Amino acid sequence: MDHRYEVFCLADRYFYESLDRMSAGPDSVAENRRVALFETAQREVPPGWRTSRDGDRLHIDPPLGADAQPAQGWKVHVSAGLDNADKVAAKVWDYCVPRHIPFTFVPSPQLLHLRNSTYARRDAGGKFITIYPADEDRLRVVLHELGELLDGEPGPYILTDLRWREGPLHVRYGAFAERYCVGEHGGLVQAVEDGEGRLVPDSAAPAFDLPAWVSLPEFLAPHLAARDATAVADLPYRIGSALRFSNGGGVYTGVDKRSGEQVVIKEGRPHAGLALDGADAVTRLERERDALGRLSGLGVAPEVRDWFTIGDHGFLVTDFIKGSTLNSRFGRRHPLLTPEPDPVAVADYSRWALRVHAGIERAVAAVHSRGIVLNDLRMSDVMVGPDEETVSLLDFEAATPVAGPGRRSVAHPGFVPPADRRGFDIDRYALACLRLALFLPVTTLIAIDRGKAAHLADVIAEEFPVPPSFLDEAVAEITRDARPASGERPLPVVLPPAAAAGTARIEAERGFVPAPRTPVIGPLREPAAAGRLPRGADPDPYLPVRLADWDDTREAMARAVLASATPERQDRLFPGDILQFSGGGGLGIAHGAAGVLYAFAETGLARYPEGERWLLDRTRTLPRGIGLGLYDGLAGIAYVLDRLGHPDRALDLIHTLLAETWQRLASDLSGGLAGIGLVLDHLARSTGETALRERALEAAGIVAGRLAAAPGKDSAPRRAGLLRGATGPALLFLRLFEHTGAPALLDHAARALTLDLGSCVRTTSGGLEVDEGRRTMPYVGDGSAGIGMVLDDFLGLARGVGDLEPATADRFERARRDIARASALRLYAQSGLFAGRAGMILHLARTTTPGVPEDALAAQIDALGWYGMPYGDGLAFPGDRMMRLSMDLGTGTAGCLLALGSAIGDTPAALPFLPPPPVGGP
């Protein structure tokens, strides 16, 4: 689980949202009201000083020329708790401003809470204030003088830094200015200059890391020695491997040295890992210890063995419970992870799931009998024993006495109950969600609209032999008192004028009668109880359209996308994945405006001029850290702008790209040379700038050389798949072969595809998927479906010129048949194009693989509706992790639109450089 997504759920109910929007002023998307700033953040700066906001940071800079600030050096981080943060900020302000020392700080309690929360980035946790001393002499003075002023102020330990004494000051060597270089995985990362003047990545590891070319100042040596001193050797436990880490600490396996028994050791960091009520990780660990003590002897929770502290960190030792978590057991047993589910397996699974859920209910009832509310119950918190039925509950850090002050939640957004639930009703809501999640693991959507529960129950009833009462009771509990409650009412659609005009134009062109634009999410309906109608017979269907009806579906999805548009914002035009909030991601094809505009053009929708103007305006001055590639940055934006009739701006962007050290980028399609080479070749042909063809061939030559390198070298592909594996380079070679006829390009493509197929394994369902070690991936982006699409193109071209060895042809044919099978499973966890069912639709719609069942594509189109939700009088789909809606191409509605357009559109839609195969292909 990538817990960053949970943090990005906090600022908006419907979309992943940048956290700084929580304090963005009167139009704050979080609650449509101003979020309080620290008093220090509201101060006026002296004449000549400058202030600016960048994400969750407020910059305070002295007048230009007062002190030339270096590009890198030793910087001081100041940590603080919520209670003392404003006081600490005031002291730092009063110290730094008279001395003309620049600094930045987090300007509001809400943003500081998020930075120190459980699921915040570990490398950023605790960094409340950053001070930029001009040199080592100034650093020493700042540490001594400011250290005296702040002595005794509490704050979290900063993992990336060296702590100064025992106070809130920490130091590390790193970047001051915004400079970027190519990181180890081929993308742009923040950079510092090494000893030879080269830009290298600025380490972001959550541990103090002194660059090799930097000498530790003598006055810091005692603090490094203090950091390295530990007291772990004296413990009666041997700490083993880490099960997981969070900003609040780690969870480790261990062994009791006295008995040899396995144990679990949980760590809590003070002032870090904050829950919603402000409790830090140590406090939450103490609560868990107390709750487990009250549950002792029940047999449904771990027994407490020990509690100790090292420094100011708390450690809880509990029994080690054998078994596997419910979410991992679910992934291995679910009967829909195959193209043709066996009715016997479906029935067996249904009986098992009902038994397990009954066991969970009994365990929760036992916990309730001791007066404890769990407050957080999800599949990963349930341990299923080796007998496949015995159930234990694992995580009690959010647990509270039922008669206590109320719920303290660090819970998963998809299982957090409505604000009106209290006491044991909180756990009953989670148990109801689990009833549905055991069969269809998309219940995170209920957090957006509780009316989705009835829709999911209808789908489950069609797929599984489950007693109607089991589902009806779940829906009734989830939607109980579902009338809009305080703080939970559906928000009205407020369309920007341009977006409203675009929607009206589309409707007028297609003969739509405008509907009232009141609720964003469809109104909640009463559960259907025991008389639920079969799906398709519901007189008030949850989805506004049938997905197989192309014209209606296309217009409904366009209405939803346009209803979400915010052309008045600078950072993004359409809401999408959390990656749009870093490195100019709000502009590109994968997660930004360019991708949505591309999907509209591919599916024959009307132009959205306001959106094109927005993209043109945002590319006049490029955001810091924007990528250079096809899907993550400049190359892809240039490709889309050229397609939309803006070749001059496209060429401007490409020449900006070529002025960078683009040759050092990774080889992949997403952000590397494969995608850049494809765009350079395209623009050479579309604009007549033949010099770009030479650069495209240069990119291909670099990539070919890397692929020919010996296995194990850094230049070899690190991942498999279309976006980040060797398949992207194969696509570059194929398209260049079509335009040049050079036979060597086909050889390079075959080698690249062979490399990626070497990372694939056959699953129990008979499909071929990319093996990532802990999981296998069938998807378009990083899985086997993307490999299958390029395999199709390769076989068509190679056979067309008669240049294919029989053994290679046979191996590739078997691979693409098995990949097509992996693209026809009955269940996928997500709906998106790059990592979900929409990508399966795209692959099945364009493949010419023999033996694919005729109804496979229709079944995938129908099942895409499992994830759909009404939005803005239209139809929208969730993004990655299924916690919020998304409109982008890679994860959300635009990608689903493109996929459906490839399957049922008047003219098949396609991804860039992956057109539909010609009729009569392989």
Side-chain angles (χ1 to χ4, degrees):
M1 171 62 71
D2 187 340
H3 291 298
R4 293 178 302 163
Y5 284 83
E6 302 189 17
V7 176
F8 279 83
C9 290
L10 298 175
D12 190 88
R13 180 179 170 188
Y14 302 117
F15 302 110
Y16 295 123
E17 185 54 85
S18 173
L19 300 183
D20 65 295
R21 301 292 294 183
M22 295 185 72
S23 58
D27 296 324
S28 171
V29 296
E31 297 180 29
N32 203 32
R33 63 180 176 83
R34 179 176 291 277
V35 178
L37 298 175
F38 290 123
E39 288 186 9
T40 307
Q42 302 176 54
R43 289 185 180 185
E44 294 290 334
V45 296
W49 283 66
R50 306 181 312 278
T51 64
S52 61
R53 277 291 296 272
D54 180 15
D56 67 348
R57 311 290 297 184
L58 176 64
H59 292 252
I60 311 295
D61 293 309
L64 289 173
D67 277 316
Q69 180 176 317
Q72 63 193 54
W74 287 95
K75 49 189 174 184
V76 178
H77 288 121
V78 187
S79 65
L82 296 177
D83 295 336
N84 66 326
D86 206 2
K87 179 173 66 172
V88 168
K91 288 184 177 181
V92 171
W93 182 298
D94 293 340
Y95 178 83
C96 288
V97 169
R99 294 165 177 79
H100 281 212
I101 302 174
F103 64 99
T104 70
F105 69 104
V106 179
S108 80
Q110 291 85 354
L111 293 176
L112 180 59
H113 190 161
L114 293 173
R115 184 169 275 256
N116 290 337
S117 69
T118 300
Y119 299 134
R121 286 170 38 199
R122 298 176 68 224
D123 63 317
K127 295 177 181 177
F128 173 42
I129 302 172
T130 306
I131 303 170
Y132 302 94
D135 50 41
E136 287 188 11
D137 289 338
R138 187 75 62 91
L139 170 71
R140 180 178 54 79
V141 172
V142 168
L143 289 173
H144 281 284
E145 294 182 348
L146 191 57
E148 292 294 330
L149 292 173
L150 296 177
D151 186 43
E153 293 291 350
Y157 186 87
I158 297 174
L159 296 174
T160 61
D161 288 26
L162 191 61
R163 191 174 192 173
W164 177 257
R165 298 175 181 165
E166 297 299 320
L169 300 189
H170 302 72
V171 294
R172 73 178 292 262
Y173 189 94
F176 287 11
E178 295 278 354
R179 297 189 293 177
Y180 297 89
C181 71
V182 179
E184 65 171 325
H185 298 299
L188 292 183
V189 296
Q190 188 145 4
V192 292
E193 249 180 55
D194 68 8
E196 298 179 9
R198 300 171 302 186
L199 287 179
V200 297
D202 187 5
S203 174
F208 180 66
D209 182 19
L210 184 66
W213 67 91
V214 177
S215 298
L216 185 75
E218 185 177 345
F219 57 86
L220 292 179
H223 306 280
L224 179 60
R227 178 186 177 107
D228 293 340
T230 68
V232 175
D234 298 330
L235 293 176
Y237 305 100
R238 184 170 63 252
I239 297 177
S241 60
L243 297 175
R244 65 178 182 271
F245 285 111
S246 75
N247 192 37
V251 180
Y252 311 90
T253 62
V255 174
D256 189 323
K257 296 176 183 178
R258 298 160 296 190
S259 65
E261 294 176 299
Q262 278 190 290
V263 295
V264 172
I265 303 172
K266 290 189 172 184
E267 173 195 19
R269 298 176 56 219
H271 312 294
L274 303 184
L276 295 182
D277 66 344
D280 69 3
V282 176
T283 301
R284 290 189 288 106
L285 205 58
E286 291 171 340
R287 292 173 178 171
E288 180 165 17
R289 176 197 62 194
D290 296 343
L292 289 175
R294 293 182 61 167
L295 301 176
S296 179
L298 285 178
V300 299
E303 295 289 338
V304 174
R305 284 176 172 254
D306 203 352
W307 171 271
F308 60 89
T309 59
I310 297 179
D312 48 5
H313 290 218
F315 291 86
L316 173 67
V317 184
T318 68
D319 286 345
F320 179 90
I321 297 178
K322 294 181 179 180
S324 56
T325 58
L326 180 57
N327 57 326
S328 62
R329 192 68 57 92
F330 165 91
R332 292 194 296 269
R333 291 195 60 142
H334 203 284
L336 300 191
L337 297 173
T338 181
E340 303 97 11
D342 179 2
V344 174
V346 172
D348 287 345
Y349 176 85
S350 299
R351 288 189 290 269
W352 173 81
L354 292 172
R355 290 196 305 271
V356 167
H357 192 273
I360 298 171
E361 286 187 321
R362 289 192 297 271
V364 172
V367 170
H368 289 178
S369 73
R370 297 285 176 90
I372 296 293
V373 181
L374 291 168
N375 287 312
D376 184 14
L377 177 64
R378 59 183 99 178
M379 286 199 198
S380 60
D381 295 336
V382 177
M383 182 69 81
V384 181
D387 63 358
E388 296 279 333
E389 290 190 25
T390 302
V391 166
S392 301
L393 306 177
L394 296 181
D395 196 339
F396 290 82
E397 68 176 38
T400 60
V402 68
R407 62 187 187 182
R408 307 182 181 110
S409 180
V410 290
H412 188 292
F415 290 86
V416 174
D420 60 346
R421 305 296 169 92
R422 290 289 184 271
F424 297 143
D425 281 350
I426 294 171
D427 295 345
R428 294 187 183 107
Y429 180 93
L431 284 168
C433 290
L434 277 174
R435 287 193 182 204
L436 304 182
L438 275 167
F439 295 94
L440 199 60
V442 297
T443 48
T444 46
L445 301 179
I446 296 171
I448 307 172
D449 176 17
R450 280 191 277 164
K452 184 70 176 177
H455 182 218
L456 297 179
D458 288 340
V459 175
I460 293 168
E462 284 191 354
E463 302 289 333
F464 295 92
V466 181
S469 60
F470 182 82
L471 300 174
D472 292 334
E473 289 167 6
V475 173
E477 178 61 36
I478 292 167
T479 59
R480 175 166 60 85
D481 301 324
R483 295 292 174 264
S486 174
E488 203 200 2
R489 64 184 184 282
L491 302 179
V493 173
V494 181
L495 286 176
T503 300
R505 181 179 60 255
I506 290 174
E507 291 176 340
E509 290 178 355
R510 307 299 178 186
F512 276 81
V513 178
R517 297 185 184 280
T518 43
V520 170
I521 296 295
L524 295 167
R525 302 188 300 278
E526 294 294 336
R532 181 184 290 113
L533 294 168
R535 195 163 67 128
D538 188 348
D540 182 21
Y542 180 77
L543 296 183
V545 292
R546 290 183 63 252
L547 295 189
D549 295 334
W550 171 236
D551 286 340
D552 288 352
T553 297
R554 176 174 58 173
E555 308 311 331
M557 295 172 80
R559 288 197 301 271
V561 170
L562 292 173
S564 74
T566 54
E568 72 281 359
R569 286 179 60 161
Q570 300 293 309
D571 57 339
R572 58 101 162 139
L573 176 59
F574 303 104
D577 190 75
I578 66 173
L579 293 178
Q580 68 180 194
F581 298 114
S582 61
L587 302 180
I589 289 184
H591 306 300
V596 176
L597 296 176
Y598 174 82
F600 271 40
E602 274 291 297
T603 54
L605 284 164
R607 297 278 288 270
Y608 178 30
E610 181 67 16
E612 293 179 33
R613 284 193 293 272
W614 186 94
L615 188 57
L616 290 167
D617 288 344
R618 297 290 86 73
T619 52
R620 286 194 175 94
T621 301
L622 295 171
R624 292 175 296 184
I626 189 170
L628 303 179
L630 172 59
Y631 282 102
D632 73 348
L634 298 188
I637 299 168
Y639 174 78
V640 172
L641 287 175
D642 180 67
R643 166 153 189 184
L644 295 175
H646 306 288
D648 291 341
R649 177 57 55 79
L651 288 173
D652 288 344
L653 294 178
I654 285 298
H655 289 307
T656 298
L657 183 161
L658 292 175
E660 301 290 335
T661 54
W662 58 275
Q663 296 92 337
R664 293 176 55 195
L665 291 171
S667 301
D668 63 60
L669 184 71
S670 177
L673 296 184
I676 290 172
L678 285 163
V679 174
L680 290 170
D681 178 63
H682 165 80
L683 289 176
R685 290 180 289 107
S686 69
T687 67
E689 285 210 13
T690 55
L692 298 181
R693 171 68 57 81
E694 298 303 316
R695 301 285 73 76
L697 293 174
E698 179 184 357
I702 294 170
V703 173
R706 293 175 181 174
L707 292 174
K713 288 188 177 181
D714 290 341
S715 55
R718 297 174 181 272
R719 301 173 68 174
L722 178 67
L723 292 185
R724 281 165 278 270
T727 298
L731 180 62
L732 170 63
F733 299 140
L734 292 181
R735 297 289 86 94
L736 288 177
F737 171 78
E738 288 179 316
H739 304 145
T740 67
L745 290 167
L746 277 183
D747 295 336
H748 294 321
R751 174 177 174 78
L753 289 167
T754 299
L755 283 171
D756 268 7
L757 289 175
S759 297
C760 295
V761 295
R762 282 176 175 79
T763 65
T764 55
S765 69
L768 191 68
E769 301 183 8
V770 170
D771 184 7
E772 291 191 340
R774 61 188 179 88
R775 62 182 179 179
T776 59
M777 299 286 280
Y779 301 117
V780 162
D782 295 314
S784 56
I787 301 172
M789 291 197 291
V790 179
L791 267 177
D792 284 347
D793 287 14
F794 174 85
L795 289 169
L797 289 172
R799 285 181 172 152
V801 298
D803 187 17
L804 190 60
E805 295 181 358
T808 300
D810 183 61
R811 182 169 68 253
F812 282 6
E813 279 290 355
R814 290 198 308 271
R816 74 180 189 130
R817 282 197 299 269
D818 291 342
I819 288 171
R821 181 172 178 82
S823 301
L825 306 183
R826 191 65 185 142
L827 177 66
Y828 297 98
Q830 301 187 139
S831 55
L833 185 65
F834 288 162
R837 194 181 295 273
M840 306 299 103
I841 293 172
L842 178 67
H843 177 40
L844 292 175
R846 77 183 298 277
T847 189
T848 56
T849 302
V852 176
E854 291 184 5
D855 61 348
L857 179 57
Q860 296 292 14
I861 292 171
D862 180 67
L864 185 63
W866 296 358
Y867 318 86
M869 303 186 75
Y871 181 87
D873 290 339
L875 173 65
F877 289 86
D880 275 4
R881 306 307 186 272
M882 307 286 288
M883 297 177 190
R884 292 293 185 266
L885 301 178
S886 170
M887 300 300 174
D888 70 29
L889 182 80
T891 71
T893 305
C896 294
L897 172 68
L898 184 84
L900 290 173
S902 73
I904 57 177
D906 302 326
T907 301
L911 282 172
F913 310 108
L914 276 166
V919 176

